[in-house]
Amino acid sequence: MKHALPLAAAALLGSVLLGAAVAAGAHSPGPGDAIAEIRGGEAHEPVGLRAVARSPELPRMLVVRVGPGWESASAARRREVATRWRATWRRVEPNGIVAVVDDESLESRVSYDRQGRAHLKDPPRVAGSVRE
Amino acid sequence: MPSLIPSPVRRIVWGALVATLAAAPASSQFVATQVDVANAPTLLFGGSDADGGIDDWYLTNGVIELVVDDVAPQPDLVPLLGAAAPPKGHEAAISGGSIIDLGLVGQDNDQLNQIFTVGGLSTSNFIAYDTIGASTTATSASITVSGVLQGFDASGVPETDLPLTTTYTLNGSDDFVTVHTVVTNLNPTNTASLLGGFLDVFLWVSRGVTPFTPLTARGFNHVELDLGNPASALELPVYMAGAGRLGPDDGVMDSVTGTAIGSVSYGVLGESAFIDPAGGGGTPAAVNRLFGINGQSVSALGNFPIGSLAPGESLHYTRRVYVAGDDDVAGVTNAMISELGARLGFATGTISGDIDGIESDDVRASVIATRTAGPAIAGLPLGAPVSQRRTDASGGFGSWTLPVGTYSLEVRAPERDVVTVGGVVVSAATDTVASIPDLSALGALVIEARERVQGPDPSLAARATIIGIDGTPDPRFQYEFEALELPAGAGAPNDTRPETFGRGPHIGNVAYFEGATTVDLRPGRYEVVVSRGLEYTVARRRVTVREPRILSDGSVVPRPRRVRARLRRMVDTPDALSADFHIHSGRSFDSSAPLEDRVLTFAGEGIEVMVSTDHDFVTDYAPIISSLALPVGITSIVGEEVTGTNQNPPTFPDSVGHLNAWPLPVQPDERYDGGIQDEFVAPNMIYSRLRALGAQLIQYNHPRAGVSGITSIGLFTNVGYDPDLPITAAPNDLLLSTDVLGQSGVANPDGFRNLDFDLMEIINGTSFGSFLEVRRDWFSLLNQVDFLGGPSSVPFIVGTAVSDSHRLTLETAGFGRSYVLGVGDDTATLSEPTFHAQTGAGRLLATTGPYVELTLEDGSGATAALGDYFVPSSPDVTLHIKVQAANWVQVPQVRIVQNGFTTHTFTTASNPAVRLGPRFPWAGTQNRKIRFEESIPITLGADTWLLVEAGESISVSPTPDPFVEKIVPGFNSLAFTNPIFVDLGGDGFTPPGLPVEVPGALSRSLVARSSASTGSWFDGLTAEEQEELRDHLPVHLIAIPQAAVEALRP
């Protein structure tokens, strides 16, 4: 092998290339990163987040399920967090939709205006009730 | 209700072991073995109903070959359920172990659906086989199945006390299968009441074999089976016979091998029956009369009941199932009459002859022989039709064995006058040449169809409907014998219109053709309507067809009448293809339509994508389409109609219904060419099996069908879905279940719920009543769609329209149909993945006639199309609606539906208004094709799904248009788009919830009737519902009253 790189040099080059690839990947966050970011926020500032997942039927929709802790948080805090969730999701899904729903009743808890600002909805009705 | 599943399934290895040890070498004419990967290409044979595959069991004596379906648990459930795994099965039997394929060696002529046996007097006394084995000797080959007999718990005899064995044997060079069944009562104290016989059940469903029995006023005619009065359909014939309706002239029926089908006839003759006392010593008694129900839908015939089965006693019944290669009754009655003659001591002779027409020496005809005089023969009354012979193409017939006596011959050839010749004497061991006068002459009609365009007019695939006028009857092409359902009570007979084939798709008074065709028909006056589906104008002509001129030297000068039709395409369907997601061919158990003719009928109705959906069979039309080389664009996708047939208590007391799936791979050596097992499992398990095979789309069919098929076949009917209740409330919540059987406690390994299908038939055929009923269910589901996922989430299920066409002309191909949008206009460049994705996303218009285009636009100019999820810039949106229709399609209304309620109704009197079509539906003008084109502003107050409908009013039942009825019998103008989901605020779609609209005309009553029903099952049903019920009686509910047996006891 006349032009073979020394093993150590090859390993070094490989690690550099790998690192570059990882770094390049880190600069293109995907939906998983956005979901992880939203989940991670709960650890720092809890608002009753129960689950975050893409809609299996409409992948551009992010379904955020919240529990009783949602109503316990201050309104300002909830508006701020929900606004940030939508912005985070839209970074990876330009036409993304965020559905913040009560984990029990599946009723929507937040609406958004055209600027993406969150507006809170009334507390859910009794779980299992028929929507009319 | 006892479990219908053998408990436990005890497949014993000895069966396979015996087969391995005892199967004769390949060089022997006697073979009895299990089909495996290695021998499948050699052993499996063809035919329109050839279903057998690897793991099934093959038997031959070198003359006959047959397949018995495997006795085993459903293999993918064994790891999940162990011994509780339900059994494999075929159609109506509750386990394997019945004959599913039967024909002559080398003929590829299986046209038999299935023969399964029940005990006593009820078709619900099932046999659950759990063991199968095979053996050969130097002179025979046999398959033996063992299990238990159910249905005698009321006598205190559980199934475990009624072990049963059936043996199928082919001896020597027999042209019949000897079937022997024995059951023993092991109960120490209790007698199995009324267990004195067996019934062999044949499913005909009026579309396959027509049974023939030699009884007065019977032959091909039989009393309608009315489950409220089954005794009226009892018969005591000496034999039963029937012929398949397909033959070599019908073209390729196995598109994998490219082979045609052979002709076939089947017959049943009793042999012996007796009750063997405990300890043995019983003596077989001859069975020279069959007993049981016989009709156009089903036959259940066996030995005359001997009595009841006391403790320790065994009931034996032996019968013969004959097979012949002719396409008539005589094919098997020749042998059965000879056998009866030997048993009963009467002599036989033969008849031969040649049938001509006035203008032709070659007339294919059918002859029925009725014995009018002669020595008395037990069971063959004078005046009864004895047999039927079809001539060859030249009109010749012979080798027709009949008992000695004097006969009347009824000669019937399509479109010619019926001729009856009396006094034909059959003498012992003598051939009598019958002298038959020439039949009336036929005229000829040449029909041509072209598309009216600028430049040369290209030829078209089209349909011609020919109606007799001025006293001329409608033609009845290929009507070679009459088969009536005689009313059980008062009323007129129902003509089942048997279809026979071999000369292309000219059936009844309809001819499908490409370019031009010639039809031979009775001279007279006719109206000819040429049509080509819903996108084209129709042409109407009136003609006189004359018989040929016969010159003095005897030469014949034809005088054909020519009709030239130039049809104009009216409806523009940009970037869309018309598809039919539900079609049947002769590969279905309840259809006889040849594959080539099937393609021509869909091409003639302008369908561009055929999705093959034969009952429990995977059919590939691609080789057929390719071989036909039609100039019009038509393509196909391979699929299957999964056909739930059996009752499946406790969770699904009726079947799980029918569902289509595509695309699927063709696997020629597997059962059903790769179709799946579908009995005794919940829908979610069916989805797992279909998805594993690559199915991208699963469509639930006719969800509100009632007693159709072997049991109720509408999933929503069977579940009891209540559109006024949420999905989480019982009984609707059964759709959320993931249990693989229903109540097994084992969840679907893939996480599928019973609700996880993709499409749902909203329009099936052109039925108005079922459309309204299913529409309501669909709206109920749409009002609960939330896109959230999770165990209680309701997905967006796309609505479709299909034809469910089984026969070439009686259920019109492509009515209804689905237009899939965004797939281009050329079938030659169609991307199947794109087609599937667009279909699954709801980019789909469903219609029987009107073509509806819909877009939604918000204030910023952003637009949404069918199936889209849309976040508008404000609640103010505009619907752009355009409705086109051919001149013969009525569009009385256009409606906007929002969240399950009609919010806007446009009529010819509204503002804006729907435009009327031209005065005459056969007009060729194009200036009335756009019936509605408006932009409708709407302000939404909440998240909303919207769709547009066009066609008949939903407030009153439509009145049929007599002219349109000629083009599409039973036509109703119906169309709807799939919805656009509008999410105000982009915060997720909040479903509107229940209730939904109840259309004023919704009053359909065809739902499953209980077995406790009294009186006629046809009372109170519409004509359409009665026909559906006649075609698909729930045969498991036949119970012959003991009093009726005693009334017939000799």
Side-chain angles (χ1 to χ4, degrees), chain B residues 580-902:
Chain B
D580 196 332
F581 299 143
H582 194 160
I583 65 179
H584 291 277
S585 76
R587 300 309 308 239
S588 293
F589 78 94
D590 59 351
S591 171
S592 297
L595 296 179
E596 293 175 8
D597 293 351
R598 193 75 282 204
V599 171
L600 200 49
T601 57
F602 281 93
E605 298 291 358
I607 286 293
E608 294 161 307
V609 182
M610 302 169 64
V611 178
S612 73
T613 54
D614 281 312
H615 288 298
D616 290 332
F617 197 85
V618 179
T619 304
D620 184 4
Y621 281 100
I624 307 292
I625 292 172
S626 178
S627 68
L628 290 175
L630 296 172
V632 298
I634 187 167
T635 189
S636 66
I637 293 169
V638 177
E640 176 197 5
E641 182 172 22
V642 176
T643 306
T645 301
N646 281 299
Q647 297 163 307
N648 187 14
T651 309
F652 297 95
D654 295 296
S655 78
V656 295
H658 295 182
L659 52 156
N660 292 348
W662 68 90
L664 292 174
V666 180
Q667 303 174 78
D669 291 340
E670 297 291 337
R671 173 98 66 88
Y672 312 132
D673 277 12
I676 66 164
Q677 286 288 317
D678 54 24
E679 301 294 346
F680 307 123
V681 293
N684 65 75
M685 193 61 204
I686 292 173
Y687 308 154
S688 282
R689 290 170 178 169
L690 293 170
R691 300 289 190 201
L693 289 172
Q696 295 180 37
L697 294 168
I698 296 175
Q699 169 184 276
Y700 240 108
N701 302 340
H702 42 65
R704 281 292 175 180
V707 280
S708 185
I710 309 306
T711 180
S712 178
I713 58 166
L715 177 70
F716 280 40
T717 302
N718 296 352
V719 166
Y721 183 83
D722 186 339
D724 293 325
L725 294 178
I727 195 72
T728 50
N732 299 355
D733 59 352
L734 183 54
L735 294 175
L736 299 176
S737 170
T738 63
D739 192 294
V740 292
L741 300 186
Q743 292 189 0
S744 69
V746 175
N748 183 291
D750 303 306
F752 293 130
R753 306 168 302 167
N754 295 330
L755 187 59
D756 291 334
F757 51 94
D758 308 299
L759 319 172
M760 182 169 164
E761 286 181 359
I762 313 302
I763 294 175
N764 179 289
T766 59
S767 169
F768 180 70
S770 68
F771 164 66
L772 293 189
E773 198 166 21
V774 180
R775 174 186 186 267
R776 189 157 180 253
D777 292 333
W778 188 44
F779 286 179
S780 167
L781 291 172
L782 289 176
N783 270 20
Q784 299 177 76
V785 169
D786 57 19
F787 298 99
L788 298 178
S792 300
S793 184
V794 177
F796 167 36
I797 294 169
V798 175
T800 66
V802 304
S803 72
D804 198 2
S805 171
H806 281 72
R807 290 169 285 193
L808 294 182
T809 62
L810 293 180
E811 302 97 3
T812 309
F815 287 90
R817 70 184 64 184
S818 298
Y819 282 89
V820 180
L821 314 179
V823 294
D825 300 298
D826 187 356
T827 56
T829 58
L830 174 65
S831 159
E832 271 202 35
T834 301
F835 185 84
H836 302 323
Q838 293 293 96
T839 302
R843 323 274 192 236
L844 190 147
L845 161 70
T847 184
T848 66
Y851 191 84
V852 185
E853 294 166 87
L854 168 66
T855 55
L856 183 146
E857 183 178 11
D858 69 4
S860 71
T863 60
L866 309 189
D868 275 353
Y869 186 101
F870 186 64
V871 181
S873 58
S874 78
D876 299 318
V877 298
T878 302
L879 295 186
H880 302 293
I881 304 169
K882 182 178 178 183
V883 179
Q884 302 174 76
N887 289 337
W888 58 275
V889 174
Q890 299 172 339
V891 186
Q893 285 191 356
V894 174
R895 293 182 295 275
I896 298 172
V897 176
Q898 298 182 55
N899 288 345
F901 287 88
T902 302

Side-chain angles (χ1 to χ4, degrees), chain B residues 61 68 172 318 377 395 400 444 503 517 696 714 749 857 898 908 915:
Chain B
N61 62 348
V68 172
T318 304
I377 299 173
W400 190 6
R503 288 174 298 284
T517 189
Q696 295 180 37
E857 183 178 11
Q898 298 182 55
T908 54
R915 297 178 72 206

Side-chain angles (χ1 to χ4, degrees), chain A residues 53-58 60-65 86 90 95-102 105-114 117 119 121 128-132, chain B residues 724 726 728 783-797 860 868-874 943 983-995:
Chain A
R54 300 178 82 163
S55 163
E57 197 174 350
L58 189 70
R60 67 185 171 105
M61 178 189 284
L62 185 71
V63 180
V64 180
R65 294 170 182 260
R86 186 173 183 277
R90 286 228 162 184
N95 294 314
I97 297 155
V98 174
V100 181
V101 298
D102 182 85
S105 68
L106 302 183
E107 291 199 14
S108 175
R109 307 302 314 117
V110 172
S111 63
Y112 292 97
D113 61 22
R114 294 181 65 182
R117 291 185 300 241
H119 299 270
K121 293 184 176 179
S129 64
V130 178
R131 299 184 184 98
E132 295 179 341
Chain B
D724 293 325
T728 50
N783 270 20
Q784 299 177 76
V785 169
D786 57 19
F787 298 99
L788 298 178
S792 300
S793 184
V794 177
F796 167 36
I797 294 169
S860 71
D868 275 353
Y869 186 101
F870 186 64
V871 181
S873 58
S874 78
D943 291 353
D983 172 10
L984 295 182
D987 57 350
F989 185 82
T990 300
L994 303 172

Side-chain angles (χ1 to χ4, degrees), chain A residues 13-131:
Chain A
L13 179 60
S15 63
V16 168
L17 291 174
L18 181 62
V22 169
H27 289 300
S28 300
D33 299 305
I35 291 171
E37 182 180 333
I38 292 170
R39 283 180 181 149
E42 177 72 3
H44 303 296
E45 297 173 298
V47 287
L49 186 66
R50 285 274 181 88
V52 186
R54 300 178 82 163
S55 163
E57 197 174 350
L58 189 70
R60 67 185 171 105
M61 178 189 284
L62 185 71
V63 180
V64 180
R65 294 170 182 260
V66 294
W70 178 256
E71 300 300 335
S72 305
S74 71
R77 173 77 189 127
R78 282 181 277 157
R79 278 194 293 269
E80 176 198 343
V81 169
T83 300
R84 194 191 316 141
W85 285 344
R86 186 173 183 277
T88 302
W89 185 239
R90 286 228 162 184
R91 281 206 304 274
V92 298
E93 284 285 349
N95 294 314
I97 297 155
V98 174
V100 181
V101 298
D102 182 85
D103 192 34
E104 296 293 328
S105 68
L106 302 183
E107 291 199 14
S108 175
R109 307 302 314 117
V110 172
S111 63
Y112 292 97
D113 61 22
R114 294 181 65 182
Q115 286 71 43
R117 291 185 300 241
H119 299 270
L120 302 180
K121 293 184 176 179
D122 293 336
R125 283 168 277 175
V126 177
S129 64
V130 178
R131 299 184 184 98

Side-chain angles (χ1 to χ4, degrees), chain B residues 89-227:
Chain B
H90 176 81
E91 300 296 354
I94 67 162
S95 70
S98 61
I99 296 176
I100 62 171
D101 295 336
L102 179 61
L104 296 176
V105 171
Q107 298 295 306
D108 287 324
N109 61 348
D110 170 51
Q111 297 187 45
L112 177 82
N113 171 30
Q114 180 180 35
I115 308 171
F116 72 94
T117 303
V118 296
L121 296 174
S122 170
T123 50
S124 61
N125 295 336
F126 300 108
I127 298 170
Y129 292 113
D130 55 30
T131 305
I132 186 166
S135 63
T136 58
T137 69
T139 58
S140 69
S142 297
I143 291 173
T144 301
V145 285
S146 299
V148 295
L149 178 61
Q150 300 178 343
F152 293 88
D153 301 78
S155 301
V157 186
E159 63 183 62
T160 48
D161 285 348
L162 290 172
L164 178 148
T165 295
T166 295
T167 304
Y168 307 102
T169 302
L170 293 170
N171 291 304
S173 57
D174 284 352
D175 55 358
F176 57 87
V177 189
T178 302
V179 185
H180 173 255
T181 301
V182 56
V183 62
T184 301
N185 183 358
L186 297 182
N187 192 279
T189 55
N190 297 328
T191 293
S193 178
L194 306 181
L195 178 49
F198 294 99
L199 300 171
D200 295 314
V201 183
F202 299 75
L203 301 176
W204 311 125
V205 293
S206 305
R207 297 169 189 160
V209 173
T210 300
F212 180 101
T213 43
L215 295 167
T216 304
R218 292 294 186 271
F220 287 120
N221 304 325
H222 305 283
V223 174
E224 175 179 77
L225 176 55
D226 185 340
L227 292 171

